Amino acid sequence: MSNATELDWRQLADPERLLAWMDRQGLGEGPLENVLQLTGGTQNLLLRFERAGRGYVLRRPPLHPRMDGNAIMQREIRVLGALADTDVPHPRLIAGCLDPEVIGCMFYLMEPIDGFNASVGMPALHAGDPAVRHRMGLAIAEGAAALGRVDLAAVGLSDFGKTEGFLERQVPRWLKQLDSYREYAGWPGPDSLGDVKGIAGWLTEHRPTSFQPGLMHGDYHIANVMYRNDSPELAAIVDWELCTAGDPLIDVGWLMATWDGVSASSRVQPWHGFPTPQELVEHYAKFTTRDLSHLKWYAVLACFKLGLILEGSHARACAGKAPKDIGDRLHATTQALLARASGWIDSPNAMRV
């Protein structure tokens, strides 16, 4: 019935309670069939199953979430519902359950996605043709542009995030997080990472004075999209737990920071054929009316933010609270990200469109 043990998936969703809820929603008849716990996603859990010949994917928080799993589900249900009539490729929401009594937490059902995650592996069509991989890169840039075109008011998300002072909050927030790592014994400190102070100063001095609020994914990189099996086009943008109303150019910067062998893209093989970061931003520019004159700032900020987040695992590893091999690997990734940021700062033509 499942690749996981029966106890495993029943712990995630009591079948009798789930079936009773689905009955009330008019979602099929009969038992759950072909239940499979899906991999993917760093926090939230996925169950795929069929009922009365229709496929479903159930998404729920982990059994022991670090944050408020119900609040995250509530936000994802809201944003996926809001995207229904847009051109943003996304998992199609079937129904959401805001009653935690049904299976022990809020959850939702979505349509299964016919596609693959390139960071896990690629079909022969994509792995065997550099031209196909080049188009895959352009498609992810178009996905970011589509998300940035969403009209918050039109889809009912005007209150989805605090946009006032959004850019001003960024550098102080992540510096504060970096400083919090000092509580971990053995952490060598920020001087081991690169020019943290110089990058922070540059970001503060060159921060855009205004931006056009919009919907942002919050973790937009190649491991968080799925591609069609039969073409290089996007099947869906996935993992929406960090989505908020903010500055969509943050997503573009995040894509730049994680591209071309750094972080998420380092798991994609073969990489040859994918566009360069500069090609991505030039293609993005064709599909947006946003002011891209400060795009380098967003790319540098993304390197800075992601690097300081990842360094937390190294700090915990130094204190024996996380595996040393993971801590060392993420420390090296942070160093690479900050080196990339410094290189872009020093390059007058970086990210120009």
Side-chain angles (χ1 to χ4, degrees):
M1 191 170 190
S2 169
N3 280 3
T5 66
E6 185 169 309
L7 177 63
D8 282 340
W9 78 261
R10 286 176 181 268
Q11 282 183 324
L12 301 180
D14 180 276
E16 292 185 5
R17 288 177 172 270
L18 177 59
L19 286 171
W21 179 82
M22 291 182 69
D23 287 344
R24 294 193 294 273
Q25 310 305 312
L27 298 174
E29 298 177 346
L32 304 181
E33 299 177 319
N34 301 319
V35 183
L36 177 68
Q37 183 174 346
L38 301 179
T39 58
T42 55
Q43 294 296 323
N44 296 301
L45 303 174
L46 300 169
L47 283 179
R48 182 168 182 165
F49 61 88
E50 295 175 5
R51 190 187 196 200
R54 182 181 183 182
Y56 299 86
V57 172
L58 181 150
R59 184 167 167 92
R60 57 150 294 162
L63 294 175
H64 305 288
R66 298 180 193 172
M67 299 180 287
D68 186 345
N70 286 332
I72 292 172
M73 289 298 103
Q74 197 167 13
R75 288 179 65 80
E76 290 191 23
I77 290 168
R78 185 177 175 191
V79 74
L80 291 180
L83 291 174
D85 295 324
T86 71
D87 61 352
V88 177
H90 66 281
R92 298 290 169 174
L93 180 69
I94 297 173
C97 179
L98 301 181
D99 180 3
E101 297 300 317
V102 174
I103 65 168
C105 61
M106 295 182 186
F107 68 93
Y108 61 91
L109 300 178
M110 56 185 171
E111 300 280 358
I113 301 166
D114 183 13
F116 69 94
N117 187 315
S119 69
V120 176
M122 288 190 279
L125 169 67
H126 306 72
D129 190 342
V132 171
R133 295 193 293 276
H134 191 268
R135 176 58 207 165
M136 289 170 68
L138 301 184
I140 198 172
E142 291 173 21
L147 186 57
R149 289 193 300 269
V150 172
D151 184 325
L152 291 172
V155 299
L157 294 178
S158 295
D159 61 344
F160 199 58
K162 184 180 177 183
T163 58
E164 184 177 352
F166 183 82
L167 297 185
E168 289 84 349
R169 293 194 298 270
Q170 296 302 312
V171 172
R173 176 181 179 182
W174 303 113
L175 284 177
K176 182 178 181 181
Q177 177 150 330
L178 179 66
D179 191 60
S180 73
Y181 302 155
R182 297 183 188 277
E183 68 180 76
Y184 295 105
W187 182 56
D191 291 344
S192 66
L193 301 177
D195 189 11
V196 173
K197 183 180 292 187
I199 297 170
W202 184 90
L203 286 167
T204 301
E205 182 180 351
H206 293 84
R207 183 180 63 239
T209 56
S210 64
F211 71 96
Q212 179 185 346
L215 191 62
M216 52 177 282
H217 179 272
D219 193 18
Y220 195 74
H221 56 75
I222 198 167
N224 276 343
V225 301
M226 295 184 69
Y227 286 94
R228 292 172 54 100
N229 289 309
D230 59 355
S231 83
E233 304 305 317
L234 292 188
I237 302 167
V238 298
D239 289 347
W240 292 86
E241 58 258 41
L242 298 178
C243 183
T244 189
D247 188 341
L249 292 183
I250 295 280
D251 283 340
V252 183
W254 203 259
L255 184 60
M256 299 303 99
T258 57
W259 199 252
D260 196 19
V262 176
S263 191
S265 65
S266 64
R267 301 192 296 272
V268 178
Q269 297 297 329
W271 184 257
H272 171 67
F274 280 96
T276 65
Q278 186 64 36
E279 287 177 301
L280 285 186
V281 299
E282 289 173 357
H283 192 69
Y284 176 88
K286 300 175 184 177
F287 295 88
T288 186
T289 58
R290 291 181 176 275
D291 178 6
L292 303 184
S293 59
H294 292 90
L295 198 52
K296 180 164 74 172
W297 186 88
Y298 291 93
V300 171
L301 173 66
C303 290
F304 182 78
K305 173 182 174 179
L306 179 56
L308 299 198
I309 291 172
L310 296 179
E311 181 62 12
S313 292
H314 178 239
R316 289 188 289 274
C318 290
K321 297 183 177 181
K324 184 178 184 303
D325 60 331
I326 294 176
D328 289 347
R329 175 170 55 82
L330 294 180
H331 180 64
T333 300
T334 295
Q335 291 174 321
L337 285 164
L338 295 183
R340 169 169 275 190
S342 294
W344 281 337
I345 288 172
D346 292 338
S347 174
N349 294 318
M351 304 297 151
R352 282 196 173 180
V353 292

